[in-house]
Amino acid sequence: MKFRVYRYNPETDQNPYMQGFVVEASRGMMLRDALLAIQDQDESFAFRHSCGEGVCGSDGVNVNGVNKLACVTPVAELRETVVVRPLPGRPVIRDLVVDMSQFFTQYKRVEPWLKHRDPLPEQEITQTPEARDKLDGLYECNLCGCCSTACPSFWWNPEKFLGPQALLTACRFLEDSRDQAAEERLDALAGPYKLFRCHSIMNCVEVCPKGLNPTKAIGQIRARMLKGSL
Amino acid sequence: MSRSASGLRAWLLQRLTALYLAGFFIYLILYFHFSPPKDYGAWIAWVDDPLNGVALLLFIATALLHAWVGVRDILFDYVPLFPLRLALLGLVGFALVACGFWSLRIILVPLLVRIW
């Protein structure tokens, strides 16, 4: 199976270039396995990966123009020649390894932890099954970054627009019955940039390896804001 | 900054004006399909009808507001350079206001002429 991968080592290369590799595909082979096989052929080739089963979210890459998590992408589904590039819009550190610090900065800005104002109960804070169901489709995110780096609004304003991932997380805490800082969270999202740069392009929904829907979450946040301000 | 500041307010404004624009366009298309005005007098009579006249003026106001939010969004996205963005926003705002007054002139002057 033919691959063309993006290569760039800022210490030795003047410009990035695409390098061709041939990998023998095996049954059930995932893209991560193919990248490992490429690394066997050329050990200077760099990419991030860890758990290999879609949990850690380390190996987000751009495959044939679409962001995917390499470890859960079967190579059999990919059109040859498979073109593998780093996630778009992020500074390249080396080959497929990009600098995701801005993405994580935006994640931190939504304060992704429960804020409970009342005195904490002796035991755990309980939740009804219905209240727990509201978190489904929001909590599963593994922060791979496929969504935010596929979002044109995030490409244009990565320092001001929070991006689909951070907004999905914001919604996750707004919807949580145990969180008591909804007003504060909504106030923090005010203004034309943090939330409202989203134009419902829905690239995020298309690429999410977990099948989550950040656009819907953003709509939920807007509905909450509207309710609170009318 | 209050929560209703430019983010939520602009977004809501764009959606509300979109609803009116969609409704008015459907009315216009149906009206002009089934009973197109035959001459200038018929046009004047159409605008002279209080309901049509008010709806038309409201249409111009909503179209301008809708355009303002839309163009503002495009400039926020694509023009990061602040002085340039400010200049373009000013230019667009001026052009839209000018369009508004121009439309007012087009709609109201024939009516006023007729009254006098």
Side-chain angles (χ1 to χ4, degrees):
Chain A
M1 205 172 176
K2 284 189 204 139
F3 287 82
R4 281 181 70 74
V5 296
Y6 178 98
R7 301 300 308 270
Y8 181 55
N9 181 348
E11 283 168 20
T12 55
D13 302 331
Q14 199 100 54
N15 288 308
Y17 59 96
M18 299 301 287
Q19 189 178 1
F21 289 95
V22 177
V23 173
E24 199 175 330
S26 55
R27 226 172 103 92
M29 189 188 222
M30 295 292 173
L31 180 62
R32 170 177 172 269
D33 304 318
L35 294 177
L36 283 168
I38 289 171
Q39 206 169 42
D40 279 342
Q41 293 176 31
D42 180 350
E43 61 182 12
S44 72
F45 171 60
F47 74 106
R48 282 198 189 104
H49 68 106
S50 179
C51 75
E53 48 191 27
V55 177
C56 71
S58 303
D59 57 358
V61 286
N62 185 277
V63 193
N64 291 343
V66 182
N67 292 352
K68 289 177 186 296
L69 214 47
C71 56
V72 292
T73 302
V75 288
E77 287 175 8
L78 300 172
R79 191 168 41 85
E80 276 190 78
T81 306
V82 182
V83 178
V84 187
R85 292 172 177 274
L87 291 176
R90 303 289 88 211
V92 173
I93 296 170
R94 190 169 137 183
D95 299 339
L96 301 184
V97 180
V98 290
D99 181 358
M100 294 295 280
S101 42
Q102 198 157 42
F103 169 81
F104 287 109
T105 303
Q106 299 300 38
Y107 177 62
K108 282 180 206 148
R109 280 174 78 192
V110 302
E111 311 201 316
W113 54 82
L114 279 179
K115 295 185 185 181
H116 197 79
R117 303 277 181 250
D118 298 341
L120 287 170
E122 289 279 321
Q123 279 142 7
E124 69 270 25
I125 311 168
T126 53
Q127 219 175 9
T128 63
E130 293 75 37
R132 170 60 188 77
D133 285 347
K134 286 188 179 172
L135 304 184
D136 285 341
L138 298 172
Y139 81 94
E140 298 93 332
C141 175
N142 61 12
L143 292 128
C144 64
C146 285
C147 60
S148 289
T149 57
C151 173
S153 291
F154 193 71
W155 295 339
W156 311 147
N157 288 296
E159 68 293 324
K160 290 179 181 165
F161 175 53
L162 294 181
Q165 193 288 322
L167 291 169
L168 182 89
T169 307
C171 185
R172 179 246 171 278
F173 286 96
L174 281 165
E175 292 298 329
D176 196 313
S177 62
R178 298 163 297 179
D179 190 85
Q180 298 178 330
E183 286 303 302
E184 178 189 320
R185 290 182 190 282
L186 289 176
D187 283 340
L189 293 174
Y193 280 104
K194 290 178 190 162
L195 171 67
F196 285 98
R197 279 310 83 210
C198 169
H199 306 309
S200 307
I201 297 162
M202 296 179 85
N203 279 5
C204 51
V205 183
E206 206 167 305
V207 300
C208 178
K210 297 292 220 176
L212 307 179
N213 191 333
T215 308
K216 188 175 158 217
I218 290 167
Q220 268 171 265
I221 299 175
R222 286 174 176 172
R224 259 176 193 277
M225 264 192 184
L226 197 58
K227 245 187 240 167
S229 66
L230 287 182
Chain B
M1 192 158 41
S2 87
R3 199 187 297 158
S4 61
S6 53
L8 181 66
R9 199 165 51 202
W11 175 76
L12 187 62
L13 196 67
Q14 188 154 42
R15 258 134 198 87
L16 292 178
T17 51
L19 282 179
Y20 183 78
L21 291 174
F24 189 72
F25 271 126
I26 292 171
Y27 166 68
L28 274 191
I29 289 166
L30 290 178
Y31 183 84
F32 288 120
H33 182 74
F34 288 111
S35 59
K38 284 178 183 56
D39 51 19
Y40 184 67
W43 272 101
I44 297 289
W46 185 80
V47 179
D48 201 20
D49 180 276
L51 222 59
N52 287 335
V54 170
L56 188 63
L57 290 175
L58 205 58
F59 162 74
I60 286 156
T62 48
L64 292 174
L65 281 172
H66 192 83
W68 167 248
V69 177
V71 176
R72 193 193 75 132
D73 271 348
I74 294 170
L75 294 179
F76 277 5
D77 282 345
Y78 295 104
V79 186
L81 197 66
F82 180 71
L84 183 62
R85 180 194 290 176
L86 197 66
L88 287 173
L89 279 174
L91 206 67
V92 169
F94 179 78
L96 290 177
V97 170
C99 280
F101 280 111
W102 190 25
S103 331
L104 276 185
R105 203 190 102 96
I106 292 171
I107 294 168
L108 294 180
V109 166
L111 296 180
L112 294 176
V113 165
R114 216 173 54 102
I115 290 164
W116 288 329

